[in-house]
Amino acid sequence: MGYSEFRGKTVEEALTAASVELGVASSDIDYEVIEKGSSGFLGIGAKQAVIRAKKKEEEVAAVPPVNKDNYKEDSEKDNDFNENESFDTESDITEEKVNKVVENKDELIKNTYAYLDELFKAMKIETKVTIDFEDHNNSMNINLEGPEMGILIGKRGQTLDSLQYLISLFVNKDSNAYVRVKLDTENYRARRKETLEHLAKNLAYKVKRTRRSVTLEPMNPYERRIIHSTLQNDKYVATRSEGEEPYRKVVIYLKK
């Protein structure tokens, strides 16, 4: 197979697009960077990253076809899969703060607006902030808009996750109940989720076809959860996580 061209806001996003299209992990891709991309000045003159990529050559001559009779359905959940995995990484959430009604919601929202205004002024990034609070689950949903959101998203959403963690610490410092903070911009969370779901299904097909396990690149707990959740009901493959944070990876493997 020859090289194909892939684009994204960053080289990492272009590589993810290649992974989805080619149905393999990024470690199984040969690629060269044509254009690194740039955010421009205040969004003006922004350029997409461009790469040329193809699958690495693999030996497939001895690979037998998948025979469904060789597998038994495994109804047990993978031990590593945790329904409670999320972006939140605070280890000091006390039991008495969980499932309580937030008594100072309006004050928290007001203070969060002020905190974010100061934060983005210090970062010199023009940002419009919208906060929506869901009372039924004590969730503060924060959406950001502006011309330089690519900077706030960062590599594979790492900057966005870090900002979310800092905001969560600020919000819960003065709250009588635990508030789950969710930070998003340009619908990044949903787009990333869709990308990872496609990647999981494509790699699962590869595992069934080649009967070889596939290891993905390191991901945060929330993104690992998406991979686990997407494949948890698959009859022929299972998932597990290996390694230590922040380099913990998901492995997709064939069920016995």
Side-chain angles (χ1 to χ4, degrees), residues 143-154:
N143 188 65
L144 309 177
E145 297 179 54
E148 298 179 281
M149 294 299 97
I151 295 175
L152 295 184
I153 293 173

Side-chain angles (χ1 to χ4, degrees), residues 154-209:
K155 181 179 180 182
R156 296 194 184 95
Q158 290 176 354
T159 304
L160 198 65
D161 290 346
S162 297
L163 286 171
Q164 179 173 274
Y165 176 69
L166 290 175
I167 298 168
S168 181
L169 290 178
F170 173 82
V171 170
N172 284 285
K173 174 173 61 71
D174 297 319
S175 175
N176 67 295
Y178 176 66
V179 178
R180 185 176 299 280
V181 174
K182 299 179 181 178
L183 183 66
D184 199 6
T185 181
E186 297 182 347
N187 205 30
Y188 173 80
R189 301 296 191 194
R191 291 189 291 111
R192 179 67 171 165
K193 181 174 184 290
E194 184 178 5
T195 295
L196 291 173
E197 287 173 341
H198 282 305
L199 181 61
K201 291 174 183 177
N202 288 338
L203 292 180
Y205 173 76
K206 178 185 177 183
V207 171
K208 296 170 191 176
R209 178 173 60 85

Side-chain angles (χ1 to χ4, degrees), residues 26-62:
S26 58
S27 58
D28 292 327
I29 292 177
D30 283 324
Y31 72 97
E32 58 184 55
V33 178
I34 306 302
E35 174 64 54
K36 290 185 177 180
S38 63
S39 59
F41 178 71
L42 297 180
I44 300 174
K47 293 183 179 179
Q48 282 192 313
V50 182
I51 66 172
R52 292 177 66 247
K54 70 172 184 177
K55 293 182 185 178
K56 288 182 179 178
E57 298 297 328
E58 60 178 0
E59 298 177 5
V60 296

Side-chain angles (χ1 to χ4, degrees), residues 78-101:
D78 186 282
N79 292 330
D80 183 77
F81 177 64
N82 180 359
E83 286 286 353
N84 296 317
E85 279 193 316
S86 69
F87 291 113
D88 301 289
T89 55
E90 297 94 326
S91 58
D92 58 347
I93 301 173
T94 56
E95 186 175 348
E96 60 266 23
K97 294 188 71 173
V98 177
N99 299 325
K100 274 192 171 184
V101 176

